[in-house]
Amino acid sequence: YIIRTGTSAHNGYLATLAEIGLFGFAGIVYLIVTGIGSLWRDAKDPYYMWTHSVLVGLCFSYLFLAMFERYLINIGNPTSLLFLLGILRPAYSRKSV
């Protein structure tokens, strides 16, 4: 089979892996895992529980959706922007707020 330029993997993980290679994909997976881990830890704090629980749910839903979409990270999609804001948010402590 010949892969044409107009074709797509229709799987965000495979498309990202094909576009940026194994090391780039590993970097993205590291950012996602550490970002969701940080959200998960903060969701246990009663002060952040509601907002971070919503962001954790959004992140897991987005990662499920990426199995059927063309891109893992799509800047033109508002859901992708919320996902990026969720995993790349700065870690504020309650004392500094």
Side-chain angles (χ1 to χ4, degrees), residues 9-87:
H10 289 290
N11 184 318
Y13 302 104
L14 293 178
T16 304
L17 185 60
E19 288 177 3
I20 62 175
L22 187 60
F23 292 116
F25 184 73
I28 287 179
V29 168
Y30 174 76
L31 287 175
I32 290 171
V33 168
T34 56
I36 291 177
S38 173
L39 280 173
W40 188 271
R41 279 188 306 276
D42 288 346
K44 294 177 183 178
D45 184 4
Y47 186 76
Y48 297 115
M49 186 172 54
W50 192 85
T51 56
H52 286 65
S53 296
V54 169
L55 284 174
V56 168
L58 174 90
C59 288
F60 281 123
S61 300
Y62 183 79
L63 291 175
F64 178 75
L65 181 67
M67 288 192 279
F68 308 105
E69 288 289 327
R70 290 183 171 188
Y71 304 109
L72 177 61
I73 297 175
N74 181 6
I75 303 301
N77 185 354
T79 309
S80 296
L81 294 176
L82 285 173
F83 171 73
L84 287 173
L85 287 173
I87 64 168

